[in-house]
Amino acid sequence: MRPNIQPLLGTRSRIPAAFTAVFLAAALTACGPEPTLQGEIGQEDTLRAEIDLVIGVIEGEQEYLFENIAGLTRDADGRIYVGDRGGRDVRVYGPDGRYLFQVTGPGEGPGELRWGVCGLAFDPAGLLWVVEWDSYEVFAVADADADYVRQVLPPHLVQRVGEMSVSRSTQCEKPMFTGPTGLTLATDYFYLDEEGEIEVDRLLASIAPDGEMRNRVTIPERDLGDISWSVMVWRHATWGNRETEIEPPFANRNIRVHSPDGRSAHLYTRDYHVQVFGLDGELQHEIRRDIAGPLITEAEARRERERLDGTRDRMQEVLVEFPWIEMPERKPPVGDMWYDEDGRLWVRLAWAEADDVLRAHVYDPDGEPLFTAEWPRGIDLTLGGVGGDVALGVQRMEFDVQRVVRLRFSPR
């Protein structure tokens, strides 16, 4: 059975989630110009996204079923690449959403995926790098298939404590290629100090296409403040009392991302204060806005209390001490942050429960505001494939099934 192609004529960007057959939607409009609007902070123009393509079904052909999408990208011809961690494969779709071929799939052989996809990236030579848990698998993509080129094992920034590794390979940190300089990672490096205590450095690392380390600098760390989580004490039959951290409601999170030109941006979500560092680890500029997070509704507070109560109930038989955790009045102002494939920095605001759209402030590489982006709530744009006026995203449907959506931004 061939997929049913339906144009989205006269529709808005909110698409019903219930699908019982293959649904692919492609708008018949041509690509618009890349948005280059620029202005003072707080006075940017707004670009609103409309969905013009949907790939994914609740039930139907296997090629359109996804389990856990972990990587998205596009090539120069507009083809869409989807890395599915659950399915351990990478699939290619045409600009109209039709399935074309599989780059790689699960297995133990050369070029096959043992653990699943962490991310996708094209290098300057046009080779597709499939990021796995412990390696990079490199492919040359043609019109109708892909040839396996090689495996690259990255340097492992791992320190062992006794028989336990306290870190892991860093390539699942969504690397980007930075022109001829190779791959860039913003990662945490765990090591032991002179007293044997575990320490963490924030690193910006550049890796050559052959996997060799080219450059590695330590990024200065801001005061963590209230980022620490509450601790639950419980009794282990062999080891005695143990401690486990519990995420507080609407917790302050630590976000660090890196750009195609090798910079890295760092943020704590409790306040709108972004620090951008160069490849040398020096602070280049800061972005600040005085924005309060949205008020937490009674329904949101109730869900968080139920989550905490569920944790306590599951540990009841061995629980020694459960912390009292205060419910904040507001969410942190920032929800997420990422760089797109054009090197623009997106700072997504936290949403209020009543919001039906998400909003992000978008900056150029020098921190100058470009525009405010708006798109339908429930679509994740952090997995790659965002550039120009086009963005690929992941949207959840019924039964927690995922689908890929393509958005086009235009002035509101």
Side-chain angles (χ1 to χ4, degrees):
M1 181 181 68
R2 299 299 299 168
N4 179 26
I5 307 295
Q6 303 181 24
L8 290 179
L9 297 179
T11 62
R12 301 296 294 172
S13 59
R14 299 189 67 180
I15 307 296
F19 286 81
T20 58
V22 175
F23 177 77
L24 296 173
L28 302 181
T29 57
C31 300
E34 295 187 5
T36 56
L37 304 175
Q38 194 162 354
E40 297 296 325
I41 283 183
Q43 301 179 9
E44 307 95 318
D45 290 290
T46 297
L47 300 183
R48 174 69 66 88
E50 298 287 339
I51 297 175
D52 81 339
L53 179 71
V54 177
I55 306 172
V57 296
I58 291 178
E59 58 182 8
E61 296 182 55
Q62 185 65 36
E63 292 86 350
Y64 301 96
L65 295 172
F66 302 107
E67 296 183 39
N68 183 9
I69 299 170
L72 297 169
T73 192
R74 295 178 293 142
D75 63 18
D77 296 323
R79 294 186 298 185
I80 297 169
Y81 296 73
V82 183
D84 190 342
R85 182 176 298 166
R88 290 191 294 160
D89 65 359
V90 178
R91 303 173 220 168
V92 185
Y93 299 84
D96 61 356
R98 293 182 184 273
Y99 174 76
L100 299 178
F101 58 90
Q102 183 186 74
V103 173
T104 183
E108 299 287 335
E112 296 176 330
L113 303 181
R114 295 178 300 158
W115 309 110
V117 181
C118 294
L120 303 174
F122 278 102
D123 69 13
L127 296 177
L128 177 67
W129 288 51
V130 178
V131 186
E132 221 188 346
W133 187 262
D134 58 356
S135 68
Y136 301 106
E137 307 298 332
V138 186
F139 298 86
V141 182
D143 290 338
D145 58 14
D147 294 325
Y148 180 57
V149 176
R150 66 181 182 276
Q151 180 186 75
V152 175
L153 298 177
H156 288 236
L157 305 180
V158 176
Q159 177 70 43
R160 301 189 68 83
V161 179
E163 295 301 316
M164 180 185 69
S165 173
V166 298
S167 183
R168 60 171 173 78
S169 303
T170 59
Q171 63 271 19
C172 277
E173 303 292 338
K174 295 184 176 63
M176 282 186 173
F177 278 91
T178 60
T181 62
L183 207 60
T184 296
L185 299 167
T187 188
D188 292 333
Y189 172 55
F190 295 77
Y191 63 96
L192 297 178
D193 64 15
E194 294 180 355
E195 285 75 34
E197 297 293 327
I198 298 176
E199 295 288 340
V200 183
D201 278 347
R202 176 144 303 155
L203 297 179
L204 185 64
S206 295
I207 300 172
D210 61 2
E212 292 297 318
M213 182 75 72
R214 281 188 170 174
N215 187 43
R216 173 175 138 183
V217 296
T218 300
I219 301 297
E221 182 65 85
R222 284 174 55 196
D223 180 19
L224 293 179
D226 59 355
I227 198 163
S228 59
W229 290 3
S230 301
V231 174
M232 169 182 63
V233 182
W234 55 281
R235 183 177 59 258
H236 190 279
T238 303
W239 301 329
N241 287 355
R242 313 294 292 176
E243 294 183 348
T244 299
E245 288 187 326
I246 300 175
E247 180 180 359
F250 309 102
N252 176 35
R253 294 186 300 116
N254 176 9
I255 303 175
R256 73 275 190 279
V257 294
H258 45 89
S259 75
D261 68 359
R263 309 183 200 205
S264 66
H266 302 256
L267 167 78
Y268 294 98
T269 58
R270 67 169 181 261
D271 54 14
Y272 198 128
H273 178 194
V274 182
Q275 293 182 312
V276 179
F277 296 88
L279 271 173
D280 56 2
E282 295 296 321
L283 180 66
Q284 292 188 333
H285 56 263
E286 299 181 283
I287 304 170
R288 297 175 184 261
R289 295 202 191 200
D290 186 13
I291 296 177
L295 290 169
I296 296 169
T297 66
E298 282 297 324
E300 290 173 321
R302 182 175 62 254
R303 288 193 291 269
E304 285 299 293
R305 293 190 189 99
E306 290 172 352
R307 176 179 66 85
L308 295 173
D309 290 345
T311 300
R312 183 175 56 239
D313 292 345
R314 287 191 297 272
M315 300 294 293
Q316 194 62 49
E317 292 186 2
V318 296
L319 189 62
V320 175
E321 180 181 349
F322 195 87
W324 180 81
I325 300 177
E326 182 178 5
M327 185 68 62
E329 180 181 354
R330 293 180 178 272
K331 300 177 184 178
V334 178
D336 210 340
M337 179 175 69
W338 64 92
Y339 279 102
D340 66 18
E341 295 179 0
D342 294 333
R344 300 173 300 191
L345 180 65
W346 295 57
V347 180
R348 180 180 65 75
L349 304 179
W351 65 78
E353 189 173 37
D355 290 344
D356 60 357
V357 299
L358 298 178
R359 296 178 178 86
H361 298 141
V362 184
Y363 301 90
D364 73 9
D366 295 321
E368 295 297 324
L370 292 172
F371 55 89
T372 296
E374 294 184 350
W375 67 96
R377 180 172 163 178
I379 298 177
D380 182 3
L381 301 185
T382 66
L383 299 177
V386 179
D389 64 348
V390 176
L392 300 180
V394 174
Q395 187 178 46
R396 291 188 180 275
M397 301 186 288
E398 286 184 287
F399 312 114
D400 211 29
V401 176
Q402 296 181 332
R403 65 182 185 180
V404 177
V405 299
R406 185 177 66 200
L407 305 174
R408 292 195 185 276
F409 287 89
S410 60
R412 188 172 64 178

